[in-house]
Amino acid sequence: METLNKKKKFFHMPHTYALIIGFIILAYLLTFVIPSGAYDRVTNPQTGVEMVDPDTYHKLDVKHLSPFQVALAIPQGLEQAGYIIFFIFIIAGAFQVVTATGAIEAGIKKLAILLQGKEILAIVIFTIAFSIGGATIGMSQETVIFIPIAIMLARSLGYDAMVGFAIVSLGAQVGFHSGWLNPFTVAVAQDIAELPLFSAIGMRFVFWIVYLIATIWFIMRYARKVKKDPSKSIVYQLELDESAQKLDLSDTHKMTKTQVIVLLTVLAAMVFLIVGISIWGWYITEMSALFLVMGIVVGFIGRLKTGEICDQFIEGARSVVFGSLLVGVAQAIVVIFNDAQVIDTIVYYLSNAVMHLPSSISVLGMFVVQVIISFFINSGSGQAMVIMPIMVPMADVLEITRQTAVMAFQFGDGITNAIFPTSPVLMSVLSVAKIGYDKYLKFFLPLFGIWIAIAVVFLIICQAIHIGPF
């Protein structure tokens, strides 16, 4: 028995930073195998958007990167991801100030008491809500803001940080990659494919429902296990470390007027966030400024002294250093591939491989290509600009409808946003949740397999019914 136990413990997931460094070394080694090459870029005269010309791939004579250049890739990655890293620091700092006022705790207590006996219903309602955000306004990076609140609520309902994280992040991801009204992936890809905007929305809505049911079931299954036995939590050590933050629901003091005003201020900031993103075109920098101001204003409303506001902000930022820096370190993988100029080569050879597949399974080949490319190009709209000009004529030759090609793109891009460490969104939300990438993989990999299976089934259906209009 002792020998058996030793065997069981022989393998353990490496440290998160060790895992990412391993990916960086692997990326470097691949640059010796993959030749450098590039497509020419052309500007669409109607939209002004730069896209790949699919007939212009050519090899380049580029020197191999030196080991020192690989080392340089890490600070360069930190520099490129700087706006995201500081966004995480500001969000964490601002919400620590809000937490210090006691308003969030009081509000979560009220909500948790209302949901007692209906804990599973809370998972369903909030997952659907964030999923709608992902499907309509392309909510992705914005989920960082809601993670601390969701985790506090999840813990107050008897769950763990992973449940709170999953409700927000995976909920939004389901909506994002189902994308029935996603302006950042589906709209861009359909425009390149010359399809009517948001055509086949009915089919995408069906996809969304199926993905949503599977995801909610998965989260509920894990949540029930943790509630029954907290030691079964994948982030059990984190829960022990954060045990002081669990709310005492037996303390039913009424919220003070100050706490109500603080929560209304936070709500007003959320409203400004939605308006700013959907109407004013805000992105990370504007969101950072909004929540920096919110943290300061809330601190004064909550009657904190200037020094206390500063101390709380720094404390909040300090708590996410581990994950925030990881965003930049992971970005080094992309830096290496860009410097070696091998990304276009990968696109070229993968697309050629799909052309030689039997037509019956070529759509699945397209999907696999999208999954692989997503590791190297982590922007959905950016990936569309590179891959769709190649996939559209390929689809025409293989007698796959362009709509199906767009489906393959959106599934491949969307699903992988939730697993690849080169995704700044994933690494930033994990940072704020204080969940290690290794722990997250242990939780998410079974659901990832389910998502892949659903995508394969739906792509086969799309191919069989020749979903259009063309």
Side-chain angles (χ1 to χ4, degrees), residues 277-292:
I277 293 169
S278 57
I279 297 177
W280 300 331
W282 282 11
Y283 194 50
I284 300 295
T285 304
E286 292 82 1
M287 288 192 290
S288 298
L290 172 66
F291 284 94
L292 179 62

Side-chain angles (χ1 to χ4, degrees), residues 322-456:
F322 176 94
S324 300
L325 295 180
L326 194 63
V327 175
V329 174
Q331 190 66 22
I333 299 168
V334 180
V335 171
I336 288 170
F337 283 122
N338 280 331
D339 288 351
Q341 297 190 54
V342 298
I343 293 178
D344 281 7
T345 301
I346 294 168
V347 172
Y348 174 75
Y349 283 110
L350 287 176
S351 58
N352 277 353
V354 173
M355 287 291 290
H356 292 91
L357 291 174
S359 58
S360 58
I361 62 169
S362 53
V363 66
L364 299 184
M366 279 187 169
F367 173 63
V368 171
V369 168
Q370 305 293 350
V371 168
I372 296 171
I373 295 302
S374 293
F375 184 86
F376 306 100
I377 307 174
N378 49 56
S379 163
S381 53
Q383 186 184 153
M385 298 302 176
V386 172
I387 200 71
M388 288 311 298
I390 298 169
M391 287 302 179
V392 168
M394 184 190 303
D396 293 342
V397 171
L398 295 172
E399 298 183 347
I400 297 170
T401 67
R402 294 185 178 190
Q403 193 73 259
T404 303
V406 172
M407 296 283 190
F409 156 73
Q410 73 179 83
F411 288 156
D413 167 66
I415 291 173
T416 53
N417 283 337
I419 194 166
F420 286 155
T422 50
S423 167
V425 174
L426 173 61
M427 303 313 286
S428 58
V429 291
L430 287 174
S431 168
V432 172
K434 303 178 187 177
I435 295 173
Y437 181 65
D438 54 337
K439 301 293 185 184
Y440 171 70
L441 284 182
K442 186 176 180 180
F443 167 77
F444 178 67
L445 279 175
L447 181 60
F448 180 69
I450 294 170
W451 281 3
I452 291 286
I454 293 172
V456 167

Side-chain angles (χ1 to χ4, degrees), residues 216-289:
I216 290 174
W217 168 81
F218 183 83
I219 297 172
M220 286 169 54
R221 178 172 168 268
Y222 173 81
R224 285 194 179 105
K225 181 174 71 173
V226 170
K227 193 173 182 69
K228 184 177 180 180
D229 183 358
S231 66
K232 299 289 185 182
S233 169
I234 291 175
V235 289
Y236 185 57
Q237 186 58 51
L238 174 64
E239 295 307 300
L240 293 178
D241 295 341
E242 303 273 319
S243 58
Q245 296 187 19
K246 289 187 178 180
L247 304 181
D248 180 10
L249 299 184
S250 63
D251 181 5
T252 57
H253 286 103
K254 289 185 178 180
M255 293 179 65
T256 65
K257 289 182 180 179
T258 298
Q259 290 172 338
V260 171
I261 295 172
V262 166
L263 290 180
L264 289 175
T265 304
V266 174
L267 179 61
M270 299 298 180
V271 172
F272 266 104
L273 173 72
I274 294 169
V275 173
I277 293 169
S278 57
I279 297 177
W280 300 331
W282 282 11
Y283 194 50
I284 300 295
T285 304
E286 292 82 1
M287 288 192 290
S288 298

